[in-house]
């Protein structure tokens, strides 16, 4: 008999298409504020935003510092004047919240997995934005509960984040619990910190160096095959 697994699943770039949602949101922002070269601005923002979220995961800056500083740095780089970085940040989050973009194949995969296993979403992000994106995309209904770092006051990869999640879930078997996500520093390191088995969703084939997951998959079909095997062996 197959075991029912407890699956902690990351949101951005695991099921929600963060890269394209981010790009859309910045280009939309540039059009609204008559800023030229939206594609170039979006690419630079992507670099700044990724660096700052990496710093956040390492505990070097707060989430609130990201919201303000990323646009301050972006505007300085492009010599953009007359726009308040706080207003820009609010507009960006508003645009992001409306995004329905998901990773191709995510809906069908989550639907099938939710019929066999217990799915929980674990995400570092803004509460309102993540809740609205999960609702707009139609993916939220496949999760028994959504855990968002801002709402919790904790963030991946901290042990405290995962301890809170597991304590709240209540009934689970750690031997049959897995964290699935695209980030080595957030999802995989968080699982390692907390004694949770790890599955890297590595659709882009990025190299693995210091942080090593228990398994890695390149897409949803491979993920489902792996989980079927783990469920049988559980």
């Amino acid at each position: 008999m197959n075991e029912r697994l407890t699956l902690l699943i990351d949101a951005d770039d695991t099921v929600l298409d963060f890269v394209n949602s981010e790009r859309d949101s910045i280009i939309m922002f540039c059009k609204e504020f008559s800023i030229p070269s939206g594609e170039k601005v979006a690419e630079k923002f992507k670099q700044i935003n990724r660096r700052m979220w990496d710093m956040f995961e390492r505990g070097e800056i707060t989430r609130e510092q990201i919201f303000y500083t990323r646009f301050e740095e972006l505007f300085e780089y492009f010599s953009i004047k007359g726009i308040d970085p706080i207003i820009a940040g609010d507009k960006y989050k508003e645009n992001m919240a409306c995004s329905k973009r998901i990773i191709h194949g995510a809906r069908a995969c989550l639907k099938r997995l939710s019929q066999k296993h217990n799915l929980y979403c674990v995400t570092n992000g803004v509460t309102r934005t993540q809740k609205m994106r999960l609702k707009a995309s139609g993916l939220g209904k496949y999760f028994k509960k959504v855990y968002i770092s801002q709402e919790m006051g904790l963030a991946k990869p901290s042990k405290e984040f995962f301890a809170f999640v597991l304590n709240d879930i209540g009934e689970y078997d750690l031997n049959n619990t897995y964290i699935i996500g695209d980030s080595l520093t957030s999802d995989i390191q968080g699982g390692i910190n907390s004694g949770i088995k790890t599955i890297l969703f590595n659709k882009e084939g990025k190299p693995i160096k210091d942080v090593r997951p228990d398994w890695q998959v390149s897409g949803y079909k491979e993920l489902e095959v792996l989980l079927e095997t783990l469920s049988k062996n559980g």
Side-chain angles (χ1 to χ4, degrees), residues 165-179:
V165 169
L166 294 178
N167 182 65
D168 191 65
I169 290 172
E171 294 186 12
Y172 68 93
D173 177 0
L174 191 60
N175 290 323
N176 289 318
T177 300
Y178 301 84
I179 169 74

Side-chain angles (χ1 to χ4, degrees), residues 58-69:
R58 294 194 298 267
E60 297 172 3
I61 58 174
T62 66
R63 183 184 289 102
E64 287 68 30
Q65 285 175 306
I66 295 175
F67 297 159
Y68 179 85
T69 309

Side-chain angles (χ1 to χ4, degrees), residues 6 12 14 34 74 109 112 128 161 164 190 198 217 219 232:
T6 298
D12 287 319
T14 301
S34 301
L74 182 74
C109 178
R112 288 190 292 268
R128 180 176 178 274
F161 177 96
F164 180 97
T198 59
V217 296
K232 288 178 180 177

Side-chain angles (χ1 to χ4, degrees), residues 150-195:
Q150 185 183 47
E151 194 169 48
M152 295 162 61
L154 301 165
K156 300 180 290 183
S158 72
K159 291 173 66 174
E160 291 79 10
F161 177 96
F162 290 96
F164 180 97
V165 169
L166 294 178
N167 182 65
D168 191 65
I169 290 172
E171 294 186 12
Y172 68 93
D173 177 0
L174 191 60
N175 290 323
N176 289 318
T177 300
Y178 301 84
I179 169 74
I180 303 166
D182 71 297
S183 172
L184 287 167
T185 55
S186 174
D187 306 309
I188 305 307
Q189 187 62 61
I192 293 171
N193 292 346
S194 306

